[in-house]
Amino acid sequence: MELPFSQITASQGKKAAMRIHSHFQPIVSLTHRRVVGYEALLRAVSADQQPCSPLEAFNHALLNNRVQQFDRECIASHLLNFGRMQTEDQWLFLNLRSETINPTNQRADLLEKFLRRRGLGTERMVLEILEDAVSDPLQLQDFVSHYKEAGFLIAIDDFGTGQSNFDRIWQLEPHIVKLDRSMLVNARNNPRRQRWLARCVALLRETGALVLLEGVETEADALLALDSEADLAQGFYFARPTSDGQYDEQQLSRSIQSLHQHTLKEQLSRQHSQSRKKIHLQQLLDQTVKSLEQNIDFNQATLPLQQHEAIDRIYLLDAAGVQIVENLSTRPENTTATYAPLNRGVGALWARRGYFRSALEHPGQMQISAPYLGLPDATLDVTLSVALRSGDPSRLVVLCADLPASWMEN
């Protein structure tokens, strides 16, 4: 017969053949600039007084056919130790083994009673599960729904590894998604992956989940977490796990404040640089517009833009968004045969592009698009656009010029 949570303590070492205790690592909100939770981490010592990793401890339990019982013992130990900490309203993150996610273990009422005895509410408990914890997605969904209805928070752990997919996030609707540290490691010194990290965070937040970035070890990592707009962060940079969850509060506050100051300084510097670039581009665009309005040949009229260091191509659209002039490439040496089927632009319909619509809405004013994957070479571009009347006053056209997003952003 399985023991209820109320009867399980970390001192039951006769069957476990090892002693277990807890360490707690703080989890911070970068916006609130304080610790908002702790992850409970297993620490175990074998019968011969040798430290065991969590993996070794659970392998030992597996050999003795008592994984579920051992998992409950670990949870009971974490709850007991967490209840002794001087916490206010912080969350406790508890890792659940995949073996425990089954219909026979949907016993939220027992866990809730155990929590009440410790003066803890279900709203402070975050149950961490792996996205692919079980092979049966319906079983996983039932398990998640059962504990959510009981008031527990659900976190998906290690998102970004294995067979992670957004579809399962939409199905489970977790409260929190923890991004695997590999996503942060891959983003280091890689602007493209940094942009993907930020987009991934934004997409996950659209599902209604908070996003926690794990593995923040350095100031550079912490700045990436802040720039990605992750809600929560965890790692050695902020605090290491300890048996009582203690950390240097003043040092943590200074570190987070320094991050915000650094980010603000970098943002102001980028804004200043971008402002200068936009003024210069506006001047070049104004010259080109004047020439086109005087019905000067397209190639001749666009010479100021062609001579700019960053502009890759220039083209013209009619009022319906149809390209009426072939791409004027200013960097023909950069073109390859890879995207040859997309090279011819005349006749292409760009009416759905934001830069076209915004230009029509504000005739005569330069528009700058957000970064997007541009054609024909599948690079990350921004587009300058302006609506003007070329030659015939009744004929509205849109002048467009593409340049790398990286040049504009730096």
Side-chain angles (χ1 to χ4, degrees):
M1 178 177 179
E2 293 182 342
L3 294 174
F5 277 97
S6 57
Q7 297 178 23
I8 298 172
T9 69
S11 63
Q12 289 181 321
K14 293 181 179 179
K15 292 183 179 180
M18 64 176 62
R19 290 183 293 109
I20 59 174
H21 58 283
S22 311
H23 272 206
F24 299 93
Q25 184 169 34
I27 293 170
V28 303
S29 166
L30 296 172
T31 300
H32 296 87
R33 299 181 293 176
R34 66 173 184 267
V35 172
V36 295
Y38 298 85
E39 180 176 4
L41 302 169
L42 172 64
R43 297 292 183 265
V45 178
S46 66
D48 57 358
Q49 304 302 309
Q50 295 298 314
C52 293
S53 69
L55 180 60
E56 290 173 331
F58 273 98
N59 283 341
H60 183 275
L62 182 63
L63 290 174
N64 289 276
N65 197 30
R66 57 187 308 275
V67 171
Q68 291 193 35
Q69 183 180 356
F70 183 64
D71 190 54
R72 291 198 300 276
E73 290 172 1
C74 292
I75 291 176
S77 174
H78 295 327
L79 293 175
L80 180 65
N81 293 319
F82 183 70
R84 294 169 176 166
M85 293 166 54
Q86 298 299 313
T87 60
E88 297 177 357
D89 56 356
Q90 289 100 335
W91 291 311
L92 174 63
F93 287 68
L94 296 167
N95 290 280
L96 295 187
R97 293 278 300 185
S98 59
E99 294 90 344
T100 67
I101 301 175
N102 59 69
T104 64
N105 200 31
Q106 292 185 11
R107 311 173 79 180
D109 54 338
L110 294 177
L111 181 53
E112 189 175 1
K113 290 177 183 177
F114 185 82
L115 289 170
R116 279 202 300 268
R117 292 192 182 98
R118 301 296 173 191
L120 301 170
T122 58
E123 73 281 353
R124 293 181 62 187
M125 299 295 113
V126 183
L127 306 182
E128 291 189 33
I129 60 177
L130 294 174
E131 181 195 359
D132 55 355
V134 294
S135 57
D136 185 350
L138 292 179
Q139 179 179 310
L140 178 60
Q141 192 163 0
D142 287 344
F143 185 91
V144 168
S145 297
H146 176 78
Y147 280 90
K148 284 173 69 175
E149 289 173 4
F152 293 88
L153 280 75
I154 300 296
I156 296 299
D157 198 10
D158 292 346
F159 185 85
T161 62
Q163 299 180 356
S164 296
N165 65 75
F166 284 91
D167 183 58
R168 194 174 286 119
I169 299 297
W170 279 107
Q171 291 174 352
L172 298 177
E173 295 184 333
H175 301 93
I176 299 170
V177 175
K178 300 185 72 173
L179 296 185
D180 185 75
R181 68 181 301 272
S182 62
M183 296 190 68
L184 182 60
V185 172
N186 290 333
R188 293 171 182 166
N189 304 313
N190 190 319
R192 293 185 66 179
R193 292 186 177 182
Q194 289 168 18
R195 283 191 288 267
W196 161 240
L197 178 62
R199 287 185 176 87
C200 183
V201 170
L203 286 170
L204 287 169
R205 293 179 72 182
E206 285 190 18
T207 71
L210 300 177
V211 179
L212 190 159
L213 198 53
E214 296 182 292
V216 179
E217 298 181 353
T218 65
E219 183 182 51
D221 289 345
L223 288 170
L224 281 177
L226 193 61
D227 287 341
S228 73
E229 298 192 13
D231 302 283
L232 309 170
Q234 176 183 1
F236 289 170
Y237 176 78
F238 299 108
R240 289 179 176 270
T242 61
S243 59
D244 56 6
Q246 292 298 308
Y247 58 94
D248 189 329
E249 188 172 351
Q250 292 185 344
Q251 178 59 40
L252 178 64
S253 178
R254 286 194 296 267
S255 296
I256 297 178
Q257 184 62 26
S258 175
L259 294 176
H260 283 280
Q261 290 174 346
H262 186 283
T263 299
L264 179 59
K265 183 179 179 180
E266 288 291 319
Q267 184 178 10
L268 291 174
S269 176
R270 283 197 302 269
Q271 287 176 347
H272 181 65
S273 174
Q274 290 171 4
S275 179
R276 289 187 288 104
K277 291 177 179 180
K278 288 177 183 179
I279 291 173
H280 182 53
L281 289 169
Q282 178 73 69
Q283 293 171 345
L284 299 180
L285 210 60
D286 288 345
Q287 295 178 43
T288 302
V289 167
K290 287 180 181 179
S291 297
L292 290 173
E293 288 177 339
Q294 295 172 9
N295 213 23
I296 294 177
D297 174 72
F298 184 74
N299 187 66
Q300 184 68 25
T302 57
L303 279 177
L305 291 174
Q306 294 179 46
Q307 295 167 357
H308 189 275
E309 60 176 336
I311 290 177
D312 287 329
R313 69 190 66 84
I314 309 164
Y315 48 100
L316 205 61
L317 314 179
D318 67 15
V322 177
Q323 185 166 337
I324 56 177
V325 173
E326 191 56 78
N327 291 330
L328 181 56
S329 176
T330 62
R331 304 286 184 275
E333 67 276 8
N334 293 338
T335 60
T336 68
T338 305
Y339 295 99
L342 305 176
N343 283 340
R344 293 193 301 276
V346 170
L349 181 62
W350 306 109
R352 296 179 60 85
R353 297 289 194 186
Y355 60 77
F356 170 75
R357 297 197 303 270
S358 58
L360 288 184
E361 292 170 2
H362 306 90
Q365 299 178 24
M366 180 180 74
Q367 307 297 312
I368 303 179
S369 74
Y372 69 100
L373 193 67
L375 301 177
D377 51 6
T379 56
L380 197 66
D381 293 337
V382 296
T383 295
L384 310 177
S385 60
V386 61
L388 64 133
R389 300 192 183 278
S390 176
D392 184 354
S394 63
R395 183 183 178 226
L396 193 67
V397 295
V398 176
L399 172 66
C400 302
D402 296 346
L403 62 158
S406 57
W407 182 89
M408 183 61 75
E409 291 173 349
N410 295 330

